[in-house]
DNA sequence: CCATAAAGAACGAGCGTTCGTTTTTATTGA
DNA sequence: TCAATAAAAACGAACGCTCGTTCTTTATGG
């Protein structure tokens, strides 16, 4: 089989994905041309189109990868040790983005695109659903250990908290990406103060 | 002398602004062509370009109008009656968007564009700043009446809460615009449960 | 050696904007 | 009161440019 080896193929694919992530984060999905992505990847048009169907497909792949990594963080952190408190759950996910050096503007751009593009919307919905499940599981474990905060049971308490807690995360992402002089410490302090602990 | 009357001019300007808001909300800023905005406004290219410098300027104007209205809601509600509780502050702003029939996807699109376009970023920053001021003022008044929730004084308590509370609002906007089967009631219930009351 | 990956020039659709022309409007002089 | 007029607003065809994609050619890994 005169084909490229799997290792080579994966490496190329990754090379393109990382270049696309950098380019999209810097200039925005809509404002980045395929030519720019291609230049950033140090490849040719034909090569890139051999790996992805087009610009849209490329952005979706970048988004899936990023969202997948966020979920992995949370699952890993929740698996070992004592259950994290609500505020800690938030911090685990947000710290993950920081340590990875993820440009949060990329996520906000994804949101914007997803309001209008059904394929992207599906990607976001799937990502939120998976991440929401991880949030719920982590919170349930914590409420089980802290029944004083869960008068109606850990399940109900977790269920009620998930949307708002994720909302606080989304608010963090938005403000961090957008606001001049955003103080992430102050934001998380404020969150810690109102969340059960 | 032979110029159009101010009333006429304002009406035309509004006609364009409203058409643009509808068009952008439906298809997204980037995916909406000027031709579509112009058709929606039932005017000609030249007419629209007589009122706005271009597509970007038009979107900025729409955004400013929308953000301005949100702020007006809050200021009005906070002015009369007893100070609203934190959760109520949130509801006032979010209810305003609903009663106006504002498509929240428009805001998420604005965010996305603002990550990449300095002019839009300024619009968003200014909007958040003004709205944040209104939040702060409303919260301070409530904490003054409920000192049991403000051990370090109403000013500090309000200051600490503003970013997270706005974050919860941004989370609401995102989820409402994006998630299939979003339950706004459940979201606000969850918020009410953790916010001081 | 040849199947296929990579290259990159070329294409054509779609876009925002411009500009020369036509229509409408408010004013003015009879 | 009402033409006449000049200023402007509105019109819409056309332009020039960008960009995503395709396709033919060349290089190369197995």
């Amino acid at each position: 089989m005169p084909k490229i080896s799997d290792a080579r193929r994966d490496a190329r694919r990754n090379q393109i994905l990382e270049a696309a992530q950098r380019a999209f984060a810097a200039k925005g999905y809509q404002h980045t041309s395929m030519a720019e992505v291609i230049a950033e990847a140090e490849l040719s048009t034909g090569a890139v189109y051999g790996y992805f169907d087009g610009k849209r497909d490329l952005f979706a792949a970048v988004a899936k990868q990023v969202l997948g990594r966020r979920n992995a963080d949370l699952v890993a952190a929740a698996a070992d040790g004592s259950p994290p408190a609500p505020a800690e759950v938030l911090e685990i996910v947000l710290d993950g983005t920081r340590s990875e050096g993820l440009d949060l503007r990329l996520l906000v751009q994804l949101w914007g695109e997803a309001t209008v593009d059904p394929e992207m919307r599906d990607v976001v919905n799937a990502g939120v659903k998976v991440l929401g499940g991880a949030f719920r599981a982590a919170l349930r474990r914590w409420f089980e250990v802290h029944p004083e905060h869960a008068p109606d049971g850990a399940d109900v308490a977790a269920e009620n908290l998930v949307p708002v807690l994720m909302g606080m995360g989304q608010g963090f992402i938005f403000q961090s990406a957008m606001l001049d002089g955003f103080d992430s410490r102050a934001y998380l302090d404020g969150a810690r103060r109102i969340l059960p602990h």
Side-chain angles (χ1 to χ4, degrees), chain A:
Chain A
M1 306 87 205
K3 236 178 122 179
I4 213 174
S5 73
D6 282 3
R8 218 171 237 280
R9 198 171 168 79
D10 284 359
R12 274 264 186 277
R13 202 188 132 90
N14 232 28
Q15 180 181 355
I16 296 168
L17 272 177
E18 282 177 18
Q21 180 168 335
R22 280 195 301 276
F24 289 151
K27 298 196 51 183
Y29 170 62
Q30 292 288 355
H31 295 280
T32 303
S33 65
M34 281 301 272
E36 286 170 316
V37 173
I38 288 157
E40 180 77 28
E42 296 182 301
L43 283 172
S44 68
T45 317
V48 170
Y49 275 87
Y51 287 86
F52 296 93
D53 286 344
K55 198 184 180 187
R56 174 177 308 240
D57 184 39
L58 193 45
F59 192 41
V62 169
K64 277 181 196 163
Q65 194 182 54
V66 167
L67 295 177
R69 282 203 275 251
R70 277 330 95 229
N71 186 57
D73 279 356
L74 183 50
V75 171
D80 56 15
S82 65
E88 287 171 320
V89 172
L90 201 58
E91 283 172 78
I92 288 165
V93 175
L94 296 175
D95 272 5
T97 67
R98 206 159 40 90
S99 69
E100 188 182 318
L102 172 64
D103 190 330
L104 293 182
R105 290 179 303 169
L106 192 73
L107 289 177
V108 180
Q109 287 161 26
L110 172 64
W111 298 350
E113 193 62 22
T115 59
V116 136
D117 179 328
E119 184 185 339
M120 295 301 174
R121 194 186 158 98
D122 287 347
V123 171
V124 173
N125 261 281
V128 169
K129 193 170 177 182
V130 170
L131 207 57
F135 266 76
R136 192 174 299 111
L139 291 178
R140 192 161 43 217
R141 284 189 61 210
W142 186 82
F143 276 121
E144 279 164 1
V145 184
H146 296 270
E148 72 275 17
H149 287 115
D152 301 324
D155 276 20
V156 173
E159 193 67 34
N160 286 333
L161 191 52
V162 168
V164 218
L165 190 59
M166 293 194 80
M168 288 166 81
Q170 288 138 11
F172 181 97
I173 291 168
F174 164 79
Q175 293 183 28
S176 174
M178 190 79 44
L179 266 38
D180 301 331
F182 170 68
D183 183 344
S184 69
R185 186 93 62 87
Y187 188 98
L188 290 172
D189 282 351
R192 219 174 285 116
R193 202 165 274 120
I194 58 174
L195 286 167
H197 56 272

